Amino acid sequence: MAMTASAACSITAVGLATSPAAAAPAATAQAPQAGQSCTAADLGTRHPVIKTSEVTPTITHFKGWYVTSGSTGTQTVNTSVQTTISVSVGLTGNVEGGFAVETLGKVGASLGLNVQVSYTSTSSTSTSVTWNFGNPGYYGLYKGTKKVTGTYGSLNCNRIQQGDGSWALKWIEGADTGSYTTYTTLEEGAVRCEDKVPASSIMRKAQDLLDCGSATATAKHPAGPVPSAKAEAAKARYEAENAAKAEKSVKATGSPAPATQAALNCQSAVYKIDVPGKPLNWSAPLLANDGIRLRESTFFSAHLDNWRLCNVTERNGVIEASLWNWGNGGCATIPANIANQEQAYLTTANCGEDDLQRFYIYRDVPGSSKIGVQNKYTGSMMGHDRYADGELIRQYSSGRQDGTGTYTLTAV
């Protein structure tokens, strides 16, 4: 809708072509808190905890524009891209699965903002702003939003020793952390150098891109576009930063073979990773393009269902280890080329120095051998879609909320 820009600036919120913004506070209303009790069924699940948040007004599109006394009224101005904001959660840069949605829902609820909770981005191409100019002057036409960034951790269920020496299952802050980016509803408007606007507003960010105080702002000028040196400099900084991030992302998401490890320091104990109270357990693949599946142990299992914990460390009661398979000599891993996907399958590969081959193990109270298993790199919990012979073990960002991500580490 066209609006009149008078002595004071004006703005309007515009809908996005992509999915609508939503804070989704209801989705996080029943989320657990650190220190609350959990059950063995929760060992294979996780929930986000927001550690930091920062809200930054950001201009996505901008154009300097002169309006003369003969060119007032409604005009449609094509603005240029200043920056593009993409919604992301975690190292993979995707928004897949319940954990990412819950994370962004918590961000929106904690800040009291409606933010995007599914993958989308602001426009990366020029877009137009239609405005009704009531007065001549030097204007900055813009589209902008509030960029929301920060870091998160995860709450995991694990055993905790209490002050009296007894043990209990509690929600604790797990070992994995990550960062997120999202944004609020897109706004568009027009602002002049002389307009009084709030210091931390989107309008002020747009006003900062005008060459106020320069000869451009005060000189006679034909109606129409006016180059803004400040806007061009800001765009150049964004493009340089974006190129650096893209290069870093390519390096991070590539799938080179892990560095060969001369020897693993494995514990002597051998385990089966069972479905509690049932005969099926994790069995490693014989073929390189297959995954770890639920199988029943038989005479012909050939140690494919036998696992050792290697290079074990422990921090705050949480074990970190590589899972070495006795049958094929490989280590459990998420394939690098699909690590960013919800429900990517678990397989084995040549053991190496690779966070995709490292797992956090959350344990039940002493006397119980129930565990939850989390991949260090992706942060996802291991589980299976249904209990069936041959069913693949997969990663689920929030785990399996029905308890099918809880396993038993049974000594052989």
Side-chain angles (χ1 to χ4, degrees):
M1 182 194 307
M3 299 180 68
T4 300
S6 57
C9 53
S10 302
I11 63 167
T12 184
V14 296
L16 300 174
T18 50
S19 52
T28 61
Q30 302 303 316
Q33 302 296 318
Q36 289 182 343
S37 297
C38 54
T39 69
D42 295 316
L43 289 169
T45 66
R46 70 167 179 159
H47 295 275
V49 55
I50 306 305
K51 301 178 80 67
T52 65
S53 295
E54 182 178 1
V55 181
T56 307
T58 303
I59 301 302
T60 62
H61 296 76
F62 182 85
K63 177 69 72 174
W65 198 260
Y66 254 107
V67 176
T68 65
S69 57
S71 63
T72 56
T74 300
Q75 296 188 49
T76 298
V77 178
N78 199 36
T79 60
S80 300
V81 177
Q82 284 291 126
T83 184
T84 302
I85 303 172
S86 297
V87 178
S88 64
V89 177
L91 293 172
T92 59
N94 284 343
V95 181
E96 283 195 59
F99 185 83
V101 173
E102 188 179 354
T103 299
L104 297 177
K106 276 198 164 187
V107 169
S110 65
L111 296 174
L113 296 173
N114 284 337
V115 302
Q116 300 294 321
V117 296
S118 59
Y119 179 74
T120 183
S121 68
T122 60
S123 176
S124 59
T125 59
S126 298
T127 62
S128 63
V129 173
T130 299
W131 211 256
N132 187 359
F133 297 96
N135 296 290
Y138 177 39
Y139 289 85
L141 285 100
Y142 67 89
K143 290 187 177 182
T145 184
K146 292 178 180 178
K147 182 179 180 180
V148 184
T149 58
T151 59
Y152 65 84
S154 71
L155 290 180
N156 293 79
C157 184
N158 194 56
R159 70 186 190 188
I160 297 294
Q161 190 166 27
Q162 304 184 104
D164 61 0
S166 64
W167 294 82
L169 282 178
K170 303 278 188 181
W171 289 105
I172 66 165
E173 284 204 28
D176 68 303
T177 60
S179 61
Y180 62 84
T181 300
T182 185
Y183 59 93
T184 62
T185 304
L186 200 65
E187 296 177 1
E188 65 180 35
V191 64
R192 301 182 301 174
C193 294
E194 60 267 34
D195 291 332
K196 302 300 182 183
V197 298
S200 59
S201 65
I202 297 171
M203 291 178 286
R204 178 56 181 270
K205 282 290 183 181
Q207 193 178 55
D208 289 344
L209 297 181
L210 283 171
D211 291 318
C212 297
S214 67
T216 303
T218 56
K220 296 290 184 180
H221 195 280
V226 182
S228 169
K230 288 184 178 179
E232 289 302 315
K235 182 179 180 181
R237 285 194 300 271
Y238 156 70
E239 290 176 342
E241 291 171 0
N242 200 46
K245 288 179 182 177
E247 182 179 359
K248 183 178 180 181
S249 177
V250 168
K251 291 179 180 178
T253 57
S255 54
T260 302
Q261 200 161 284
L264 290 171
N265 180 17
C266 295
Q267 296 180 347
S268 58
V270 179
Y271 299 96
K272 289 183 180 178
I273 306 175
D274 301 304
V275 177
K278 296 182 179 180
L280 300 183
N281 56 78
W282 290 21
S283 182
L286 279 174
L287 303 176
N289 61 349
D290 197 6
I292 296 171
R293 297 177 182 271
L294 290 178
R295 299 288 190 195
E296 186 170 0
S297 295
T298 68
F299 177 79
F300 302 102
S301 295
H303 294 301
L304 291 171
D305 53 4
N306 288 173
W307 301 87
R308 280 197 171 106
L309 305 184
C310 304
N311 294 352
V312 178
T313 61
E314 184 171 342
R315 183 167 65 90
N316 296 331
V318 179
I319 287 176
E320 180 186 327
S322 298
L323 303 177
W324 178 81
N325 186 263
W326 190 355
N328 68 13
C331 285
T333 188
I334 301 293
N337 63 324
I338 58 172
N340 64 335
Q341 298 178 15
E342 182 78 358
Q343 298 190 38
Y345 65 88
L346 189 64
T347 187
T348 56
N350 293 333
C351 297
E353 295 285 353
D354 190 339
D355 281 347
L356 283 168
Q357 295 184 9
R358 299 291 286 172
F359 295 85
Y360 299 122
I361 298 175
Y362 300 92
R363 293 171 289 176
D364 200 356
V365 296
S368 168
S369 56
K370 291 181 178 178
I371 62 168
V373 182
Q374 180 182 27
N375 186 264
K376 181 177 182 178
Y377 181 79
T378 68
S380 293
M381 310 299 296
M382 301 302 107
H384 53 273
D385 189 52
R386 76 182 197 278
Y387 179 76
D389 184 45
E391 185 70 14
L392 283 166
I393 303 300
R394 301 179 183 274
Q395 68 171 2
Y396 300 85
S397 59
S398 291
R400 297 288 294 171
Q401 302 299 319
D402 59 1
T404 51
T406 295
Y407 296 99
T408 303
L409 198 63
T410 306
V412 176

